[in-house]
Amino acid sequence: DRVSTKHFGLGKIARPRLSPQAHVPPPRIPYYLNSHHCVRSNQMTTTPMRDVVLIGGGHSHVYVLKDIGANPIPGVQVTLIARDIQTPYSGMLPGHVAGHYTREQVHIDLNRLARYAGVRLIHASAIGLNRIERLIYCDDGRPPLKYDLCSIDVGCTPQFVPGRSPESLVHVTPVKPINGFSARWQLILERVRADQPRGSSRIVVVGGGAGGVELALSMQHRLKKELKEAGYNENGVSVALISRGPVPMEAHGKQAQRTFTKLLKNRQIELYLGSPAIEVIENECERGGTILLENGGVIHFDEVFWCTTSGAAPWFKTTGLDLGPDGFIQVSPTLQSTNDPAVFASGDCADMVASPRPKAGVFAVRQGPPLAHNIRAFLDEKRFMRYMPQKNFMCIIGVGGEDAVVVYGGHVSSGAWAWKWKRKIDEQWIQQYQKIPFNDSNAASDDFSKLLSYSYVEVSGASLANLKGLSAKQGPYGSKIGPELLNRVLHGAHSAAIINDSSGTSIGSYRGAMPILLRQDESSGLTVKSKTYSVDLFRSYVTDPYKFGRIVANHALTDVYVQGLLPETALIFAILPRSGESQAENTLMQLVSGALRMFKEADCDLVGGHTSEGPELALGFYVNTSAPPEKPISTPCMSVGDRLIVTKAIGTGILLAANLRARAKGRWMDSAIISMLESNASATVLFRHYKATSINSISVEGLAGNILSMIRSSNEKEEIDNDSRVRAQLQLDDIPQLDGALSLAIQGILSSRHSFNQRAYAPAVTPSSSFQLMIDATKRVRKLENSNARDLVMAHYNMLFDPQTAGGLIASVPEEHADDCLLALRGKGYHLSSIVGEVTPTTGRSGEKEIIFKWNDEMC
């Protein structure tokens, strides 16, 4: 009954302590998991029939994710809801502050871990739990997620300045959430260096526990080191520590208290003990402010770090779960809620009723194996494992340099050996989740080309009737799902499913699913409001169906905006992977709700559609549009001297391809998704306001392909003579790129669509000089080896052919309006908008290339 530490890969330091009777029988399966819902272990298939939702990316849950990746749970769809895509390891944070670790070294990439585990990742925060209907609510406006079992590992919520929010105080940084703290710390390092010519800086840490003490020592070490390396006096910064207790480390023994009091004084860290901070007043006209203490003391500061005792998440109070005196979830030795066996909790957000312990990361780490075991036991109706934490635990506290203090019970030891020991333990633990054995050969194809792409087709009444006649035919992906599911979802998502209009309209049907609005026509009997359509269908390339629905809808609307059309109605075409009815309905609800959010902003009604089953999730929209009556659509015609402006960074194809191979960092994917969710509606309005002569979306053809389309459309107009024909000249390294895309391109990671685009469009693209001259200039200017210089130049070149999903726009704007247009775009939130080139005349020579690109290094 003992747990093998070799199996869990944790070593002796993380061995879970088990009671003599390590396993207990499972409770009776509650009514909501009766025989209709519960799949017995010997009947499990790969078809998801139940939902397990992990809330939070804490230390226990990362173990569960890796365990699922190594041994998937059949018949179960696992979802991870995480506020942060990169989850920090709290034990290594002070080492990061002190400069011993980079930010990447102290974080676990949940995107990569979830990809390895085959888990659906939702980047959001949970804000509520409905235990009666088994629903989880998130803060991003999505429909609630269903669960059969949920596990909560969200850590603590920081207690801040009484009556104040972190947003209201500019110079006060809460230590948690740690992701926000890490980014803020880098800014403060730069600010302290910049302030040295004007005088010294004062940093105040509020909180005298182990975390606050270690943070103060680590900050002082790093700041002094940075100032010394920059040529400033290392005493140009001072650090102070405020503690409500009479001594630092009040929760530990007297020897530890004496040791750290002496250490802090020797390091000349100012101590303000015995009185808590009750208010912070920031200066109005300059940086910094004052802290007011309960005893009347006043402390001046430049920056404050708040590291006081943390509390429970406020939403726990609304769940009906048993909570402890401080609001944390009470759990039994099996880590289940004491009043709901379908809810598990671990880490700092849980109170172990049978064996109360202080909040410490060591318990969250050791709860991982029993939690993973008990989740499976609940699903399989097997025996549970009791977790019994040890009474005493060891703290190894870094003191800034390569020294540490070991505190175990009443014993205290210190030295360089302690730091080496701590470093070895921490690095061994985190590398289990950073160095994941992901097999690239198992990655799905990354061809995200449109499976169906017909844009702006004139549809007559007869053609529409013919299209309706095809609705009963079998789709190419598998069996059709009955209309009831889509009907239920659309009504549930508050869509305009049924239209009642007294102005001579009638109700028609599409693919047997939902009614759409049609008008009577004298010639054909059936016409729609307009005769222009845009059709797109994409395979799923993100695991979050809500955001996938938003992205695909945004892509479909961009095609409409570029043509100057107005979207009016849309039909959805969804291919759902085989799953239980509940899972299918919830997935479709997420897709539809995400799409509705985009269509509502565009004043476009989602009125119906069609659903089928297939091997994987795919989504498309059929958008009905009309031309604005007040302004006809003009034919594009680029003019010599026009500036070429792009509205978004490129690189989504590379990032999506890398993500399928678990090679893209979570923060890279996060920025790519944010970009794909950004609407192009405002950009098209601005381009027309500033007299753009041609507008195109940057789509699956890549930047080069879309620019070529604009050039050829302009040159093929009948009224254009040879002297007025144009070409494009690009500044290659001025083209904005998504974070991580260039790095991946240098590694040779490209979308499978890239080779098609390059074969199709590269013959029309050429450098202004030669690739070799560009490489030589890069070697000279950037001091690179020949191979590195070549990789850099070719990576920039390859970006021209990278297929984009929900990409930005490319427009040619007259020179006299270009700068004003660029400022207006950035003012509207298109912060990466850039002028990337200009329109030039052709020379008339035979075989002349249509796109020429330059390289900035050649001009140096």
Side-chain angles (χ1 to χ4, degrees), residues 57-78:
H59 300 349
S60 300
H61 277 177
V62 294
Y63 180 88
V64 173
L65 290 171
K66 188 177 180 185
D67 181 70
I68 292 172
N71 185 18
I73 308 175
V76 173
Q77 177 177 268
V78 183

PDB file of all heavy atoms in Angstrom, residues 57-78:
ATOM      1  N   GLY A  57      -3.896  26.016 -11.932  1.00  0.00           N
ATOM      2  CA  GLY A  57      -2.687  25.317 -12.369  1.00  0.00           C
ATOM      3  C   GLY A  57      -1.660  25.211 -11.269  1.00  0.00           C
ATOM      4  O   GLY A  57      -0.467  25.440 -11.494  1.00  0.00           O
ATOM      5  N   GLY A  58      -2.127  24.867 -10.051  1.00  0.00           N
ATOM      6  CA  GLY A  58      -1.224  24.768  -8.910  1.00  0.00           C
ATOM      7  C   GLY A  58      -0.334  23.548  -8.943  1.00  0.00           C
ATOM      8  O   GLY A  58      -0.363  22.725  -9.861  1.00  0.00           O
ATOM      9  N   HIS A  59       0.472  23.420  -7.889  1.00  0.00           N
ATOM     10  CA  HIS A  59       1.491  22.370  -7.840  1.00  0.00           C
ATOM     11  C   HIS A  59       0.883  20.965  -7.881  1.00  0.00           C
ATOM     12  O   HIS A  59       1.484  20.049  -8.456  1.00  0.00           O
ATOM     13  CB  HIS A  59       2.337  22.515  -6.567  1.00  0.00           C
ATOM     14  CG  HIS A  59       3.061  23.832  -6.471  1.00  0.00           C
ATOM     15  ND1 HIS A  59       3.145  24.712  -7.529  1.00  0.00           N
ATOM     16  CD2 HIS A  59       3.736  24.417  -5.445  1.00  0.00           C
ATOM     17  CE1 HIS A  59       3.838  25.768  -7.159  1.00  0.00           C
ATOM     18  NE2 HIS A  59       4.215  25.613  -5.899  1.00  0.00           N
ATOM     19  N   SER A  60      -0.274  20.759  -7.277  1.00  0.00           N
ATOM     20  CA  SER A  60      -0.907  19.442  -7.317  1.00  0.00           C
ATOM     21  C   SER A  60      -1.427  19.136  -8.712  1.00  0.00           C
ATOM     22  O   SER A  60      -1.294  18.011  -9.217  1.00  0.00           O
ATOM     23  CB  SER A  60      -2.071  19.378  -6.319  1.00  0.00           C
ATOM     24  OG  SER A  60      -1.632  19.604  -5.005  1.00  0.00           O
ATOM     25  N   HIS A  61      -2.013  20.116  -9.363  1.00  0.00           N
ATOM     26  CA  HIS A  61      -2.621  19.882 -10.666  1.00  0.00           C
ATOM     27  C   HIS A  61      -1.590  19.631 -11.760  1.00  0.00           C
ATOM     28  O   HIS A  61      -1.882  18.906 -12.719  1.00  0.00           O
ATOM     29  CB  HIS A  61      -3.522  21.057 -11.045  1.00  0.00           C
ATOM     30  CG  HIS A  61      -4.889  20.960 -10.447  1.00  0.00           C
ATOM     31  ND1 HIS A  61      -5.859  21.927 -10.600  1.00  0.00           N
ATOM     32  CD2 HIS A  61      -5.469  19.986  -9.675  1.00  0.00           C
ATOM     33  CE1 HIS A  61      -6.952  21.572  -9.963  1.00  0.00           C
ATOM     34  NE2 HIS A  61      -6.741  20.393  -9.391  1.00  0.00           N
ATOM     35  N   VAL A  62      -0.404  20.217 -11.651  1.00  0.00           N
ATOM     36  CA  VAL A  62       0.587  19.928 -12.696  1.00  0.00           C
ATOM     37  C   VAL A  62       0.989  18.461 -12.638  1.00  0.00           C
ATOM     38  O   VAL A  62       1.257  17.838 -13.680  1.00  0.00           O
ATOM     39  CB  VAL A  62       1.819  20.859 -12.601  1.00  0.00           C
ATOM     40  CG1 VAL A  62       1.435  22.301 -12.886  1.00  0.00           C
ATOM     41  CG2 VAL A  62       2.541  20.742 -11.278  1.00  0.00           C
ATOM     42  N   TYR A  63       1.010  17.885 -11.423  1.00  0.00           N
ATOM     43  CA  TYR A  63       1.287  16.453 -11.327  1.00  0.00           C
ATOM     44  C   TYR A  63       0.160  15.653 -11.969  1.00  0.00           C
ATOM     45  O   TYR A  63       0.393  14.685 -12.691  1.00  0.00           O
ATOM     46  CB  TYR A  63       1.481  16.009  -9.873  1.00  0.00           C
ATOM     47  CG  TYR A  63       1.763  14.524  -9.796  1.00  0.00           C
ATOM     48  CD1 TYR A  63       3.055  14.053  -9.884  1.00  0.00           C
ATOM     49  CD2 TYR A  63       0.723  13.599  -9.711  1.00  0.00           C
ATOM     50  CE1 TYR A  63       3.319  12.683  -9.886  1.00  0.00           C
ATOM     51  CE2 TYR A  63       0.972  12.242  -9.706  1.00  0.00           C
ATOM     52  CZ  TYR A  63       2.273  11.788  -9.788  1.00  0.00           C
ATOM     53  OH  TYR A  63       2.524  10.448  -9.804  1.00  0.00           O
ATOM     54  N   VAL A  64      -1.087  16.045 -11.702  1.00  0.00           N
ATOM     55  CA  VAL A  64      -2.231  15.342 -12.278  1.00  0.00           C
ATOM     56  C   VAL A  64      -2.168  15.380 -13.804  1.00  0.00           C
ATOM     57  O   VAL A  64      -2.417  14.376 -14.480  1.00  0.00           O
ATOM     58  CB  VAL A  64      -3.548  15.964 -11.776  1.00  0.00           C
ATOM     59  CG1 VAL A  64      -4.741  15.352 -12.505  1.00  0.00           C
ATOM     60  CG2 VAL A  64      -3.695  15.754 -10.270  1.00  0.00           C
ATOM     61  N   LEU A  65      -1.816  16.546 -14.362  1.00  0.00           N
ATOM     62  CA  LEU A  65      -1.719  16.671 -15.821  1.00  0.00           C
ATOM     63  C   LEU A  65      -0.665  15.726 -16.390  1.00  0.00           C
ATOM     64  O   LEU A  65      -0.896  15.048 -17.394  1.00  0.00           O
ATOM     65  CB  LEU A  65      -1.391  18.119 -16.201  1.00  0.00           C
ATOM     66  CG  LEU A  65      -2.500  19.149 -15.981  1.00  0.00           C
ATOM     67  CD1 LEU A  65      -1.958  20.551 -16.197  1.00  0.00           C
ATOM     68  CD2 LEU A  65      -3.674  18.883 -16.907  1.00  0.00           C
ATOM     69  N   LYS A  66       0.488  15.687 -15.757  1.00  0.00           N
ATOM     70  CA  LYS A  66       1.532  14.794 -16.267  1.00  0.00           C
ATOM     71  C   LYS A  66       1.125  13.338 -16.119  1.00  0.00           C
ATOM     72  O   LYS A  66       1.401  12.510 -16.996  1.00  0.00           O
ATOM     73  CB  LYS A  66       2.854  15.050 -15.536  1.00  0.00           C
ATOM     74  CG  LYS A  66       4.014  14.290 -16.172  1.00  0.00           C
ATOM     75  CD  LYS A  66       5.337  14.598 -15.512  1.00  0.00           C
ATOM     76  CE  LYS A  66       6.451  13.796 -16.195  1.00  0.00           C
ATOM     77  NZ  LYS A  66       7.745  13.966 -15.520  1.00  0.00           N
ATOM     78  N   ASP A  67       0.440  13.011 -15.053  1.00  0.00           N
ATOM     79  CA  ASP A  67      -0.032  11.648 -14.836  1.00  0.00           C
ATOM     80  C   ASP A  67      -1.038  11.252 -15.919  1.00  0.00           C
ATOM     81  O   ASP A  67      -1.007  10.129 -16.436  1.00  0.00           O
ATOM     82  CB  ASP A  67      -0.674  11.560 -13.451  1.00  0.00           C
ATOM     83  CG  ASP A  67      -1.170  10.161 -13.140  1.00  0.00           C
ATOM     84  OD1 ASP A  67      -0.334   9.263 -12.939  1.00  0.00           O
ATOM     85  OD2 ASP A  67      -2.401   9.959 -13.116  1.00  0.00           O
ATOM     86  N   ILE A  68      -1.924  12.170 -16.295  1.00  0.00           N
ATOM     87  CA  ILE A  68      -2.897  11.892 -17.351  1.00  0.00           C
ATOM     88  C   ILE A  68      -2.199  11.739 -18.695  1.00  0.00           C
ATOM     89  O   ILE A  68      -2.566  10.889 -19.512  1.00  0.00           O
ATOM     90  CB  ILE A  68      -3.960  13.011 -17.408  1.00  0.00           C
ATOM     91  CG1 ILE A  68      -4.818  12.973 -16.140  1.00  0.00           C
ATOM     92  CG2 ILE A  68      -4.832  12.881 -18.651  1.00  0.00           C
ATOM     93  CD1 ILE A  68      -5.760  14.149 -16.006  1.00  0.00           C
ATOM     94  N   GLY A  69      -1.166  12.562 -18.934  1.00  0.00           N
ATOM     95  CA  GLY A  69      -0.415  12.431 -20.185  1.00  0.00           C
ATOM     96  C   GLY A  69       0.271  11.087 -20.307  1.00  0.00           C
ATOM     97  O   GLY A  69       0.323  10.492 -21.387  1.00  0.00           O
ATOM     98  N   ALA A  70       0.804  10.584 -19.189  1.00  0.00           N
ATOM     99  CA  ALA A  70       1.480   9.292 -19.217  1.00  0.00           C
ATOM    100  C   ALA A  70       0.496   8.129 -19.279  1.00  0.00           C
ATOM    101  O   ALA A  70       0.797   7.080 -19.846  1.00  0.00           O
ATOM    102  CB  ALA A  70       2.367   9.153 -17.980  1.00  0.00           C
ATOM    103  N   ASN A  71      -0.694   8.323 -18.724  1.00  0.00           N
ATOM    104  CA  ASN A  71      -1.690   7.252 -18.668  1.00  0.00           C
ATOM    105  C   ASN A  71      -3.079   7.862 -18.811  1.00  0.00           C
ATOM    106  O   ASN A  71      -3.761   8.119 -17.816  1.00  0.00           O
ATOM    107  CB  ASN A  71      -1.570   6.494 -17.338  1.00  0.00           C
ATOM    108  CG  ASN A  71      -2.491   5.294 -17.279  1.00  0.00           C
ATOM    109  OD1 ASN A  71      -2.985   4.807 -18.304  1.00  0.00           O
ATOM    110  ND2 ASN A  71      -2.750   4.820 -16.066  1.00  0.00           N
ATOM    111  N   PRO A  72      -3.535   8.126 -20.038  1.00  0.00           N
ATOM    112  CA  PRO A  72      -4.825   8.801 -20.251  1.00  0.00           C
ATOM    113  C   PRO A  72      -5.980   8.043 -19.608  1.00  0.00           C
ATOM    114  O   PRO A  72      -5.950   6.826 -19.449  1.00  0.00           O
ATOM    115  CB  PRO A  72      -4.959   8.830 -21.777  1.00  0.00           C
ATOM    116  CG  PRO A  72      -3.560   8.707 -22.290  1.00  0.00           C
ATOM    117  CD  PRO A  72      -2.843   7.834 -21.312  1.00  0.00           C
ATOM    118  N   ILE A  73      -7.010   8.802 -19.248  1.00  0.00           N
ATOM    119  CA  ILE A  73      -8.209   8.212 -18.638  1.00  0.00           C
ATOM    120  C   ILE A  73      -9.240   7.993 -19.738  1.00  0.00           C
ATOM    121  O   ILE A  73      -9.775   8.957 -20.288  1.00  0.00           O
ATOM    122  CB  ILE A  73      -8.784   9.141 -17.553  1.00  0.00           C
ATOM    123  CG1 ILE A  73      -7.700   9.536 -16.547  1.00  0.00           C
ATOM    124  CG2 ILE A  73      -9.952   8.461 -16.839  1.00  0.00           C
ATOM    125  CD1 ILE A  73      -8.171  10.550 -15.514  1.00  0.00           C
ATOM    126  N   PRO A  74      -9.535   6.763 -20.097  1.00  0.00           N
ATOM    127  CA  PRO A  74     -10.489   6.510 -21.188  1.00  0.00           C
ATOM    128  C   PRO A  74     -11.884   7.016 -20.849  1.00  0.00           C
ATOM    129  O   PRO A  74     -12.316   6.966 -19.696  1.00  0.00           O
ATOM    130  CB  PRO A  74     -10.481   4.980 -21.337  1.00  0.00           C
ATOM    131  CG  PRO A  74      -9.253   4.522 -20.613  1.00  0.00           C
ATOM    132  CD  PRO A  74      -9.002   5.510 -19.536  1.00  0.00           C
ATOM    133  N   GLY A  75     -12.591   7.495 -21.864  1.00  0.00           N
ATOM    134  CA  GLY A  75     -13.978   7.898 -21.693  1.00  0.00           C
ATOM    135  C   GLY A  75     -14.178   9.181 -20.934  1.00  0.00           C
ATOM    136  O   GLY A  75     -15.295   9.475 -20.498  1.00  0.00           O
ATOM    137  N   VAL A  76     -13.122   9.961 -20.750  1.00  0.00           N
ATOM    138  CA  VAL A  76     -13.213  11.177 -19.950  1.00  0.00           C
ATOM    139  C   VAL A  76     -12.615  12.346 -20.726  1.00  0.00           C
ATOM    140  O   VAL A  76     -11.537  12.234 -21.312  1.00  0.00           O
ATOM    141  CB  VAL A  76     -12.477  11.019 -18.596  1.00  0.00           C
ATOM    142  CG1 VAL A  76     -12.436  12.340 -17.844  1.00  0.00           C
ATOM    143  CG2 VAL A  76     -13.151   9.950 -17.748  1.00  0.00           C
ATOM    144  N   GLN A  77     -13.326  13.462 -20.751  1.00  0.00           N
ATOM    145  CA  GLN A  77     -12.789  14.706 -21.293  1.00  0.00           C
ATOM    146  C   GLN A  77     -12.300  15.551 -20.129  1.00  0.00           C
ATOM    147  O   GLN A  77     -13.066  15.899 -19.240  1.00  0.00           O
ATOM    148  CB  GLN A  77     -13.868  15.468 -22.069  1.00  0.00           C
ATOM    149  CG  GLN A  77     -13.396  16.824 -22.598  1.00  0.00           C
ATOM    150  CD  GLN A  77     -14.459  17.506 -23.428  1.00  0.00           C
ATOM    151  OE1 GLN A  77     -14.521  17.370 -24.640  1.00  0.00           O
ATOM    152  NE2 GLN A  77     -15.336  18.243 -22.766  1.00  0.00           N
ATOM    153  N   VAL A  78     -11.012  15.881 -20.130  1.00  0.00           N
ATOM    154  CA  VAL A  78     -10.416  16.654 -19.047  1.00  0.00           C
ATOM    155  C   VAL A  78     -10.209  18.086 -19.517  1.00  0.00           C
ATOM    156  O   VAL A  78      -9.689  18.327 -20.612  1.00  0.00           O
ATOM    157  CB  VAL A  78      -9.077  16.039 -18.589  1.00  0.00           C
ATOM    158  CG1 VAL A  78      -8.518  16.820 -17.401  1.00  0.00           C
ATOM    159  CG2 VAL A  78      -9.257  14.567 -18.213  1.00  0.00           C
TER     160      VAL A  78
END
